Amino acid sequence: MTTADDTRTRILAAARELFAERGYAATSLADIAAAVGLTKTAVAYHFHPKDRLASELLSPVAGDMLALLGDDYADRQAFVSALVSFAVRYRSVIRLFMEDLAGDDAVSPVSPDSEAAAIRTFRDGIFVKLAGEDPDPATTVRCWALLGALQWGVAKTMDLPEDEVEAFLLEAVRTL
């Protein structure tokens, strides 16, 4: 017999996979329902509105996000290594929280208490930890390039083993 917890777990797994593959905005509750073999109404019973799915997928990484920003690192390279490890470990949701939910600040205003606002705060915290409080233009470009390389480097390599992705990304971002 399938319990409500089993159903929620199956829905979350399907959502994580579809969001990583297609993006948050391009995945509907109907898509998730089809992947799990349920009706859209059944999925909505557990996760309505769709933002609740995003919140539930992001909640396990929240503690690691805070630790990443709160830890002291010996130097910038130690922080970059920790950031790459974090991105690879959570690559199944990285597209969700670095692209679809965070979006472009100028184009996508968000409510201050939304998941997107929390993610933008995290993203901006990472940037400050990489670049410092008042970076010069060259540092600004290098740090955003590093974050972009991580975003796409993990979002588009789901078919590769984590250890390989991490090694290649560390090598790629060392010069940034």
Side-chain angles (χ1 to χ4, degrees):
M1 176 180 213
T2 303
T3 67
D5 285 343
D6 294 337
T7 301
R8 288 176 59 81
T9 301
R10 290 177 37 236
I11 292 169
L12 286 168
R16 183 182 301 110
E17 185 176 315
L18 290 170
F19 291 162
E21 178 185 311
R22 302 176 186 176
Y24 176 78
T27 303
S28 68
L29 289 180
D31 296 332
I32 296 164
V36 191
L38 297 171
T39 65
K40 180 180 171 185
T41 304
V43 172
Y45 171 79
H46 292 280
F47 296 102
H48 184 73
K50 187 170 89 169
D51 293 354
R52 286 190 53 214
L53 270 168
S55 295
E56 189 119 359
L57 289 172
L58 294 174
S59 64
V61 301
D64 284 353
M65 284 183 196
L66 294 173
L68 182 69
L69 288 175
D71 285 352
D72 290 324
Y73 299 90
D75 55 26
R76 183 178 182 275
Q77 190 56 46
F79 175 67
V80 168
S81 293
L83 178 60
V84 168
S85 292
F86 173 88
V88 171
R89 184 171 49 254
Y90 294 111
R91 66 188 177 155
S92 65
V93 293
I94 207 80
R95 181 176 179 187
L96 172 64
F97 67 71
M98 289 191 78
E99 182 184 68
D100 288 332
L101 286 180
D104 181 359
D105 298 341
V107 176
S108 310
V110 297
S111 121
D113 60 345
S114 69
E115 290 84 9
I119 290 162
R120 288 178 181 178
T121 299
F122 173 66
R123 177 205 61 202
D124 294 345
I126 289 173
F127 179 82
V128 168
K129 203 145 182 114
L130 286 170
E133 289 292 335
D134 190 24
D136 60 50
T139 301
T140 298
V141 170
R142 278 194 299 273
C143 291
W144 283 120
L146 186 151
L147 290 174
L150 284 177
Q151 174 185 343
W152 291 106
V154 297
K156 297 296 186 181
T157 58
M158 296 297 293
D159 58 329
L160 299 175
E162 283 188 18
D163 58 335
E164 287 183 27
V165 173
E166 186 169 349
F168 294 143
L169 280 173
L170 278 171
E171 182 181 331
V173 301
R174 279 202 172 95
T175 59
L176 295 174

PDB file of all heavy atoms in Angstrom, residues 70-104:
ATOM      1  N   GLY A  70      28.797  30.924   6.010  1.00  0.00           N
ATOM      2  CA  GLY A  70      29.220  31.247   7.366  1.00  0.00           C
ATOM      3  C   GLY A  70      30.613  30.779   7.729  1.00  0.00           C
ATOM      4  O   GLY A  70      31.241  31.335   8.627  1.00  0.00           O
ATOM      5  N   ASP A  71      31.113  29.769   7.036  1.00  0.00           N
ATOM      6  CA  ASP A  71      32.436  29.237   7.364  1.00  0.00           C
ATOM      7  C   ASP A  71      33.531  30.218   6.987  1.00  0.00           C
ATOM      8  O   ASP A  71      33.394  31.000   6.052  1.00  0.00           O
ATOM      9  CB  ASP A  71      32.690  27.912   6.637  1.00  0.00           C
ATOM     10  CG  ASP A  71      31.921  26.747   7.242  1.00  0.00           C
ATOM     11  OD1 ASP A  71      31.308  26.919   8.322  1.00  0.00           O
ATOM     12  OD2 ASP A  71      31.915  25.662   6.630  1.00  0.00           O
ATOM     13  N   ASP A  72      34.620  30.139   7.752  1.00  0.00           N
ATOM     14  CA  ASP A  72      35.820  30.901   7.405  1.00  0.00           C
ATOM     15  C   ASP A  72      36.714  29.992   6.573  1.00  0.00           C
ATOM     16  O   ASP A  72      36.870  28.810   6.879  1.00  0.00           O
ATOM     17  CB  ASP A  72      36.559  31.348   8.670  1.00  0.00           C
ATOM     18  CG  ASP A  72      35.800  32.426   9.426  1.00  0.00           C
ATOM     19  OD1 ASP A  72      35.170  33.266   8.764  1.00  0.00           O
ATOM     20  OD2 ASP A  72      35.839  32.421  10.664  1.00  0.00           O
ATOM     21  N   TYR A  73      37.296  30.540   5.550  1.00  0.00           N
ATOM     22  CA  TYR A  73      38.154  29.776   4.653  1.00  0.00           C
ATOM     23  C   TYR A  73      39.551  30.370   4.691  1.00  0.00           C
ATOM     24  O   TYR A  73      39.714  31.579   4.847  1.00  0.00           O
ATOM     25  CB  TYR A  73      37.597  29.791   3.224  1.00  0.00           C
ATOM     26  CG  TYR A  73      36.223  29.160   3.159  1.00  0.00           C
ATOM     27  CD1 TYR A  73      35.068  29.919   3.330  1.00  0.00           C
ATOM     28  CD2 TYR A  73      36.085  27.791   2.969  1.00  0.00           C
ATOM     29  CE1 TYR A  73      33.818  29.329   3.300  1.00  0.00           C
ATOM     30  CE2 TYR A  73      34.836  27.190   2.937  1.00  0.00           C
ATOM     31  CZ  TYR A  73      33.706  27.969   3.107  1.00  0.00           C
ATOM     32  OH  TYR A  73      32.469  27.384   3.099  1.00  0.00           O
ATOM     33  N   ALA A  74      40.552  29.512   4.554  1.00  0.00           N
ATOM     34  CA  ALA A  74      41.942  29.954   4.617  1.00  0.00           C
ATOM     35  C   ALA A  74      42.239  31.013   3.560  1.00  0.00           C
ATOM     36  O   ALA A  74      42.981  31.961   3.809  1.00  0.00           O
ATOM     37  CB  ALA A  74      42.886  28.762   4.453  1.00  0.00           C
ATOM     38  N   ASP A  75      41.641  30.845   2.388  1.00  0.00           N
ATOM     39  CA  ASP A  75      41.850  31.796   1.300  1.00  0.00           C
ATOM     40  C   ASP A  75      40.711  31.649   0.286  1.00  0.00           C
ATOM     41  O   ASP A  75      39.829  30.815   0.458  1.00  0.00           O
ATOM     42  CB  ASP A  75      43.219  31.596   0.639  1.00  0.00           C
ATOM     43  CG  ASP A  75      43.449  30.165   0.153  1.00  0.00           C
ATOM     44  OD1 ASP A  75      42.459  29.456  -0.146  1.00  0.00           O
ATOM     45  OD2 ASP A  75      44.615  29.749   0.073  1.00  0.00           O
ATOM     46  N   ARG A  76      40.777  32.460  -0.743  1.00  0.00           N
ATOM     47  CA  ARG A  76      39.729  32.441  -1.771  1.00  0.00           C
ATOM     48  C   ARG A  76      39.638  31.073  -2.437  1.00  0.00           C
ATOM     49  O   ARG A  76      38.545  30.580  -2.714  1.00  0.00           O
ATOM     50  CB  ARG A  76      40.011  33.532  -2.803  1.00  0.00           C
ATOM     51  CG  ARG A  76      38.943  33.640  -3.879  1.00  0.00           C
ATOM     52  CD  ARG A  76      39.278  34.800  -4.844  1.00  0.00           C
ATOM     53  NE  ARG A  76      38.262  34.951  -5.848  1.00  0.00           N
ATOM     54  CZ  ARG A  76      38.223  34.254  -6.990  1.00  0.00           C
ATOM     55  NH1 ARG A  76      39.139  33.352  -7.243  1.00  0.00           N
ATOM     56  NH2 ARG A  76      37.264  34.469  -7.867  1.00  0.00           N
ATOM     57  N   GLN A  77      40.781  30.448  -2.701  1.00  0.00           N
ATOM     58  CA  GLN A  77      40.778  29.149  -3.373  1.00  0.00           C
ATOM     59  C   GLN A  77      40.076  28.091  -2.530  1.00  0.00           C
ATOM     60  O   GLN A  77      39.366  27.242  -3.058  1.00  0.00           O
ATOM     61  CB  GLN A  77      42.214  28.705  -3.706  1.00  0.00           C
ATOM     62  CG  GLN A  77      42.257  27.501  -4.617  1.00  0.00           C
ATOM     63  CD  GLN A  77      41.504  27.701  -5.928  1.00  0.00           C
ATOM     64  OE1 GLN A  77      41.638  28.724  -6.601  1.00  0.00           O
ATOM     65  NE2 GLN A  77      40.692  26.740  -6.313  1.00  0.00           N
ATOM     66  N   ALA A  78      40.231  28.150  -1.220  1.00  0.00           N
ATOM     67  CA  ALA A  78      39.542  27.191  -0.344  1.00  0.00           C
ATOM     68  C   ALA A  78      38.026  27.398  -0.438  1.00  0.00           C
ATOM     69  O   ALA A  78      37.264  26.425  -0.459  1.00  0.00           O
ATOM     70  CB  ALA A  78      40.026  27.351   1.093  1.00  0.00           C
ATOM     71  N   PHE A  79      37.602  28.657  -0.503  1.00  0.00           N
ATOM     72  CA  PHE A  79      36.172  28.928  -0.658  1.00  0.00           C
ATOM     73  C   PHE A  79      35.678  28.441  -2.017  1.00  0.00           C
ATOM     74  O   PHE A  79      34.616  27.827  -2.113  1.00  0.00           O
ATOM     75  CB  PHE A  79      35.847  30.413  -0.481  1.00  0.00           C
ATOM     76  CG  PHE A  79      34.401  30.724  -0.754  1.00  0.00           C
ATOM     77  CD1 PHE A  79      33.415  30.243   0.094  1.00  0.00           C
ATOM     78  CD2 PHE A  79      34.025  31.455  -1.865  1.00  0.00           C
ATOM     79  CE1 PHE A  79      32.067  30.492  -0.159  1.00  0.00           C
ATOM     80  CE2 PHE A  79      32.684  31.712  -2.127  1.00  0.00           C
ATOM     81  CZ  PHE A  79      31.708  31.233  -1.272  1.00  0.00           C
ATOM     82  N   VAL A  80      36.444  28.686  -3.078  1.00  0.00           N
ATOM     83  CA  VAL A  80      36.048  28.236  -4.415  1.00  0.00           C
ATOM     84  C   VAL A  80      35.908  26.716  -4.430  1.00  0.00           C
ATOM     85  O   VAL A  80      34.945  26.179  -4.984  1.00  0.00           O
ATOM     86  CB  VAL A  80      37.044  28.733  -5.494  1.00  0.00           C
ATOM     87  CG1 VAL A  80      36.810  28.044  -6.829  1.00  0.00           C
ATOM     88  CG2 VAL A  80      36.942  30.245  -5.648  1.00  0.00           C
ATOM     89  N   SER A  81      36.825  26.011  -3.806  1.00  0.00           N
ATOM     90  CA  SER A  81      36.744  24.541  -3.748  1.00  0.00           C
ATOM     91  C   SER A  81      35.477  24.094  -3.019  1.00  0.00           C
ATOM     92  O   SER A  81      34.786  23.177  -3.464  1.00  0.00           O
ATOM     93  CB  SER A  81      37.972  23.959  -3.053  1.00  0.00           C
ATOM     94  OG  SER A  81      39.117  24.166  -3.839  1.00  0.00           O
ATOM     95  N   ALA A  82      35.169  24.755  -1.910  1.00  0.00           N
ATOM     96  CA  ALA A  82      33.948  24.423  -1.159  1.00  0.00           C
ATOM     97  C   ALA A  82      32.704  24.742  -1.988  1.00  0.00           C
ATOM     98  O   ALA A  82      31.730  23.975  -1.989  1.00  0.00           O
ATOM     99  CB  ALA A  82      33.921  25.182   0.168  1.00  0.00           C
ATOM    100  N   LEU A  83      32.737  25.844  -2.713  1.00  0.00           N
ATOM    101  CA  LEU A  83      31.610  26.241  -3.560  1.00  0.00           C
ATOM    102  C   LEU A  83      31.399  25.233  -4.693  1.00  0.00           C
ATOM    103  O   LEU A  83      30.261  24.841  -4.977  1.00  0.00           O
ATOM    104  CB  LEU A  83      31.844  27.644  -4.122  1.00  0.00           C
ATOM    105  CG  LEU A  83      30.790  28.201  -5.070  1.00  0.00           C
ATOM    106  CD1 LEU A  83      29.428  28.283  -4.382  1.00  0.00           C
ATOM    107  CD2 LEU A  83      31.226  29.575  -5.570  1.00  0.00           C
ATOM    108  N   VAL A  84      32.471  24.800  -5.327  1.00  0.00           N
ATOM    109  CA  VAL A  84      32.361  23.810  -6.404  1.00  0.00           C
ATOM    110  C   VAL A  84      31.781  22.508  -5.847  1.00  0.00           C
ATOM    111  O   VAL A  84      30.875  21.917  -6.440  1.00  0.00           O
ATOM    112  CB  VAL A  84      33.728  23.579  -7.092  1.00  0.00           C
ATOM    113  CG1 VAL A  84      33.690  22.349  -7.995  1.00  0.00           C
ATOM    114  CG2 VAL A  84      34.139  24.816  -7.882  1.00  0.00           C
ATOM    115  N   SER A  85      32.269  22.060  -4.706  1.00  0.00           N
ATOM    116  CA  SER A  85      31.744  20.830  -4.094  1.00  0.00           C
ATOM    117  C   SER A  85      30.255  20.966  -3.799  1.00  0.00           C
ATOM    118  O   SER A  85      29.475  20.039  -4.043  1.00  0.00           O
ATOM    119  CB  SER A  85      32.498  20.503  -2.811  1.00  0.00           C
ATOM    120  OG  SER A  85      33.814  20.136  -3.102  1.00  0.00           O
ATOM    121  N   PHE A  86      29.864  22.104  -3.259  1.00  0.00           N
ATOM    122  CA  PHE A  86      28.455  22.367  -2.973  1.00  0.00           C
ATOM    123  C   PHE A  86      27.627  22.286  -4.255  1.00  0.00           C
ATOM    124  O   PHE A  86      26.592  21.628  -4.307  1.00  0.00           O
ATOM    125  CB  PHE A  86      28.305  23.742  -2.318  1.00  0.00           C
ATOM    126  CG  PHE A  86      26.883  24.173  -2.128  1.00  0.00           C
ATOM    127  CD1 PHE A  86      26.190  23.821  -0.987  1.00  0.00           C
ATOM    128  CD2 PHE A  86      26.233  24.933  -3.098  1.00  0.00           C
ATOM    129  CE1 PHE A  86      24.869  24.207  -0.816  1.00  0.00           C
ATOM    130  CE2 PHE A  86      24.911  25.318  -2.932  1.00  0.00           C
ATOM    131  CZ  PHE A  86      24.237  24.957  -1.783  1.00  0.00           C
ATOM    132  N   ALA A  87      28.080  22.970  -5.301  1.00  0.00           N
ATOM    133  CA  ALA A  87      27.338  23.010  -6.559  1.00  0.00           C
ATOM    134  C   ALA A  87      27.189  21.619  -7.171  1.00  0.00           C
ATOM    135  O   ALA A  87      26.117  21.271  -7.673  1.00  0.00           O
ATOM    136  CB  ALA A  87      28.019  23.960  -7.544  1.00  0.00           C
ATOM    137  N   VAL A  88      28.235  20.830  -7.112  1.00  0.00           N
ATOM    138  CA  VAL A  88      28.163  19.486  -7.685  1.00  0.00           C
ATOM    139  C   VAL A  88      27.252  18.597  -6.841  1.00  0.00           C
ATOM    140  O   VAL A  88      26.427  17.851  -7.366  1.00  0.00           O
ATOM    141  CB  VAL A  88      29.578  18.872  -7.823  1.00  0.00           C
ATOM    142  CG1 VAL A  88      29.507  17.399  -8.202  1.00  0.00           C
ATOM    143  CG2 VAL A  88      30.391  19.657  -8.856  1.00  0.00           C
ATOM    144  N   ARG A  89      27.372  18.700  -5.525  1.00  0.00           N
ATOM    145  CA  ARG A  89      26.548  17.865  -4.629  1.00  0.00           C
ATOM    146  C   ARG A  89      25.056  18.129  -4.849  1.00  0.00           C
ATOM    147  O   ARG A  89      24.242  17.218  -4.808  1.00  0.00           O
ATOM    148  CB  ARG A  89      26.937  18.142  -3.174  1.00  0.00           C
ATOM    149  CG  ARG A  89      26.221  17.285  -2.165  1.00  0.00           C
ATOM    150  CD  ARG A  89      26.780  17.412  -0.738  1.00  0.00           C
ATOM    151  NE  ARG A  89      26.961  18.759  -0.261  1.00  0.00           N
ATOM    152  CZ  ARG A  89      28.154  19.373  -0.125  1.00  0.00           C
ATOM    153  NH1 ARG A  89      29.268  18.770  -0.437  1.00  0.00           N
ATOM    154  NH2 ARG A  89      28.219  20.609   0.330  1.00  0.00           N
ATOM    155  N   TYR A  90      24.696  19.382  -5.104  1.00  0.00           N
ATOM    156  CA  TYR A  90      23.292  19.740  -5.279  1.00  0.00           C
ATOM    157  C   TYR A  90      22.964  20.084  -6.725  1.00  0.00           C
ATOM    158  O   TYR A  90      22.045  20.852  -6.994  1.00  0.00           O
ATOM    159  CB  TYR A  90      22.936  20.904  -4.349  1.00  0.00           C
ATOM    160  CG  TYR A  90      23.008  20.506  -2.908  1.00  0.00           C
ATOM    161  CD1 TYR A  90      23.992  21.017  -2.063  1.00  0.00           C
ATOM    162  CD2 TYR A  90      22.118  19.577  -2.383  1.00  0.00           C
ATOM    163  CE1 TYR A  90      24.064  20.633  -0.738  1.00  0.00           C
ATOM    164  CE2 TYR A  90      22.191  19.184  -1.061  1.00  0.00           C
ATOM    165  CZ  TYR A  90      23.162  19.720  -0.241  1.00  0.00           C
ATOM    166  OH  TYR A  90      23.234  19.325   1.067  1.00  0.00           O
ATOM    167  N   ARG A  91      23.646  19.475  -7.652  1.00  0.00           N
ATOM    168  CA  ARG A  91      23.430  19.834  -9.056  1.00  0.00           C
ATOM    169  C   ARG A  91      22.039  19.500  -9.558  1.00  0.00           C
ATOM    170  O   ARG A  91      21.583  20.099 -10.523  1.00  0.00           O
ATOM    171  CB  ARG A  91      24.498  19.230  -9.949  1.00  0.00           C
ATOM    172  CG  ARG A  91      24.507  17.726 -10.038  1.00  0.00           C
ATOM    173  CD  ARG A  91      25.734  17.266 -10.796  1.00  0.00           C
ATOM    174  NE  ARG A  91      25.794  15.815 -10.840  1.00  0.00           N
ATOM    175  CZ  ARG A  91      26.426  15.146 -11.769  1.00  0.00           C
ATOM    176  NH1 ARG A  91      27.042  15.779 -12.733  1.00  0.00           N
ATOM    177  NH2 ARG A  91      26.440  13.847 -11.740  1.00  0.00           N
ATOM    178  N   SER A  92      21.348  18.598  -8.898  1.00  0.00           N
ATOM    179  CA  SER A  92      19.997  18.273  -9.363  1.00  0.00           C
ATOM    180  C   SER A  92      19.018  19.420  -9.123  1.00  0.00           C
ATOM    181  O   SER A  92      17.980  19.487  -9.764  1.00  0.00           O
ATOM    182  CB  SER A  92      19.482  16.991  -8.707  1.00  0.00           C
ATOM    183  OG  SER A  92      19.329  17.176  -7.329  1.00  0.00           O
ATOM    184  N   VAL A  93      19.345  20.330  -8.217  1.00  0.00           N
ATOM    185  CA  VAL A  93      18.471  21.488  -8.000  1.00  0.00           C
ATOM    186  C   VAL A  93      19.161  22.810  -8.321  1.00  0.00           C
ATOM    187  O   VAL A  93      18.560  23.864  -8.175  1.00  0.00           O
ATOM    188  CB  VAL A  93      17.925  21.524  -6.545  1.00  0.00           C
ATOM    189  CG1 VAL A  93      16.988  20.371  -6.293  1.00  0.00           C
ATOM    190  CG2 VAL A  93      19.025  21.583  -5.522  1.00  0.00           C
ATOM    191  N   ILE A  94      20.405  22.748  -8.779  1.00  0.00           N
ATOM    192  CA  ILE A  94      21.153  23.991  -9.003  1.00  0.00           C
ATOM    193  C   ILE A  94      20.482  24.886 -10.043  1.00  0.00           C
ATOM    194  O   ILE A  94      20.427  26.096  -9.888  1.00  0.00           O
ATOM    195  CB  ILE A  94      22.625  23.702  -9.366  1.00  0.00           C
ATOM    196  CG1 ILE A  94      23.514  24.864  -8.965  1.00  0.00           C
ATOM    197  CG2 ILE A  94      22.825  23.410 -10.832  1.00  0.00           C
ATOM    198  CD1 ILE A  94      23.878  24.903  -7.551  1.00  0.00           C
ATOM    199  N   ARG A  95      19.955  24.308 -11.099  1.00  0.00           N
ATOM    200  CA  ARG A  95      19.293  25.132 -12.106  1.00  0.00           C
ATOM    201  C   ARG A  95      18.074  25.821 -11.513  1.00  0.00           C
ATOM    202  O   ARG A  95      17.810  26.984 -11.783  1.00  0.00           O
ATOM    203  CB  ARG A  95      18.884  24.275 -13.303  1.00  0.00           C
ATOM    204  CG  ARG A  95      18.218  25.082 -14.380  1.00  0.00           C
ATOM    205  CD  ARG A  95      17.913  24.255 -15.590  1.00  0.00           C
ATOM    206  NE  ARG A  95      17.241  25.091 -16.572  1.00  0.00           N
ATOM    207  CZ  ARG A  95      16.725  24.628 -17.675  1.00  0.00           C
ATOM    208  NH1 ARG A  95      16.805  23.363 -17.979  1.00  0.00           N
ATOM    209  NH2 ARG A  95      16.114  25.445 -18.502  1.00  0.00           N
ATOM    210  N   LEU A  96      17.363  25.094 -10.697  1.00  0.00           N
ATOM    211  CA  LEU A  96      16.187  25.648 -10.052  1.00  0.00           C
ATOM    212  C   LEU A  96      16.541  26.878  -9.243  1.00  0.00           C
ATOM    213  O   LEU A  96      15.929  27.922  -9.378  1.00  0.00           O
ATOM    214  CB  LEU A  96      15.531  24.586  -9.158  1.00  0.00           C
ATOM    215  CG  LEU A  96      14.396  25.031  -8.259  1.00  0.00           C
ATOM    216  CD1 LEU A  96      13.214  25.493  -9.087  1.00  0.00           C
ATOM    217  CD2 LEU A  96      14.003  23.903  -7.332  1.00  0.00           C
ATOM    218  N   PHE A  97      17.562  26.788  -8.377  1.00  0.00           N
ATOM    219  CA  PHE A  97      17.782  27.927  -7.506  1.00  0.00           C
ATOM    220  C   PHE A  97      18.777  28.949  -8.001  1.00  0.00           C
ATOM    221  O   PHE A  97      18.873  30.021  -7.438  1.00  0.00           O
ATOM    222  CB  PHE A  97      18.069  27.526  -6.052  1.00  0.00           C
ATOM    223  CG  PHE A  97      19.328  26.800  -5.757  1.00  0.00           C
ATOM    224  CD1 PHE A  97      20.545  27.444  -5.814  1.00  0.00           C
ATOM    225  CD2 PHE A  97      19.277  25.491  -5.335  1.00  0.00           C
ATOM    226  CE1 PHE A  97      21.693  26.785  -5.477  1.00  0.00           C
ATOM    227  CE2 PHE A  97      20.431  24.818  -5.012  1.00  0.00           C
ATOM    228  CZ  PHE A  97      21.644  25.465  -5.081  1.00  0.00           C
ATOM    229  N   MET A  98      19.480  28.700  -9.073  1.00  0.00           N
ATOM    230  CA  MET A  98      20.381  29.730  -9.594  1.00  0.00           C
ATOM    231  C   MET A  98      19.840  30.386 -10.853  1.00  0.00           C
ATOM    232  O   MET A  98      20.286  31.446 -11.224  1.00  0.00           O
ATOM    233  CB  MET A  98      21.764  29.159  -9.852  1.00  0.00           C
ATOM    234  CG  MET A  98      22.492  28.838  -8.561  1.00  0.00           C
ATOM    235  SD  MET A  98      24.208  28.469  -8.796  1.00  0.00           S
ATOM    236  CE  MET A  98      24.874  30.120  -8.991  1.00  0.00           C
ATOM    237  N   GLU A  99      18.896  29.746 -11.519  1.00  0.00           N
ATOM    238  CA  GLU A  99      18.405  30.326 -12.761  1.00  0.00           C
ATOM    239  C   GLU A  99      16.920  30.624 -12.695  1.00  0.00           C
ATOM    240  O   GLU A  99      16.505  31.762 -12.733  1.00  0.00           O
ATOM    241  CB  GLU A  99      18.689  29.378 -13.922  1.00  0.00           C
ATOM    242  CG  GLU A  99      18.242  29.942 -15.253  1.00  0.00           C
ATOM    243  CD  GLU A  99      18.452  28.938 -16.353  1.00  0.00           C
ATOM    244  OE1 GLU A  99      17.745  27.924 -16.349  1.00  0.00           O
ATOM    245  OE2 GLU A  99      19.313  29.178 -17.204  1.00  0.00           O
ATOM    246  N   ASP A 100      16.119  29.599 -12.569  1.00  0.00           N
ATOM    247  CA  ASP A 100      14.673  29.781 -12.664  1.00  0.00           C
ATOM    248  C   ASP A 100      14.096  30.604 -11.532  1.00  0.00           C
ATOM    249  O   ASP A 100      13.270  31.470 -11.755  1.00  0.00           O
ATOM    250  CB  ASP A 100      13.962  28.433 -12.713  1.00  0.00           C
ATOM    251  CG  ASP A 100      14.161  27.731 -14.047  1.00  0.00           C
ATOM    252  OD1 ASP A 100      14.343  28.427 -15.057  1.00  0.00           O
ATOM    253  OD2 ASP A 100      14.137  26.494 -14.065  1.00  0.00           O
ATOM    254  N   LEU A 101      14.488  30.328 -10.298  1.00  0.00           N
ATOM    255  CA  LEU A 101      13.914  31.082  -9.187  1.00  0.00           C
ATOM    256  C   LEU A 101      14.617  32.409  -8.970  1.00  0.00           C
ATOM    257  O   LEU A 101      13.981  33.412  -8.689  1.00  0.00           O
ATOM    258  CB  LEU A 101      13.973  30.260  -7.890  1.00  0.00           C
ATOM    259  CG  LEU A 101      12.986  29.112  -7.787  1.00  0.00           C
ATOM    260  CD1 LEU A 101      13.145  28.400  -6.463  1.00  0.00           C
ATOM    261  CD2 LEU A 101      11.568  29.587  -7.941  1.00  0.00           C
ATOM    262  N   ALA A 102      15.931  32.433  -9.080  1.00  0.00           N
ATOM    263  CA  ALA A 102      16.657  33.664  -8.815  1.00  0.00           C
ATOM    264  C   ALA A 102      16.466  34.668  -9.945  1.00  0.00           C
ATOM    265  O   ALA A 102      16.173  35.821  -9.713  1.00  0.00           O
ATOM    266  CB  ALA A 102      18.134  33.372  -8.605  1.00  0.00           C
ATOM    267  N   GLY A 103      16.637  34.210 -11.169  1.00  0.00           N
ATOM    268  CA  GLY A 103      16.401  35.060 -12.329  1.00  0.00           C
ATOM    269  C   GLY A 103      17.220  36.338 -12.332  1.00  0.00           C
ATOM    270  O   GLY A 103      18.150  36.511 -11.576  1.00  0.00           O
ATOM    271  N   ASP A 104      16.847  37.223 -13.190  1.00  0.00           N
ATOM    272  CA  ASP A 104      17.499  38.508 -13.328  1.00  0.00           C
ATOM    273  C   ASP A 104      16.764  39.516 -12.454  1.00  0.00           C
ATOM    274  O   ASP A 104      15.571  39.747 -12.626  1.00  0.00           O
ATOM    275  CB  ASP A 104      17.465  38.923 -14.805  1.00  0.00           C
ATOM    276  CG  ASP A 104      18.152  40.251 -15.059  1.00  0.00           C
ATOM    277  OD1 ASP A 104      18.653  40.873 -14.100  1.00  0.00           O
ATOM    278  OD2 ASP A 104      18.189  40.667 -16.220  1.00  0.00           O
TER     279      ASP A 104
END
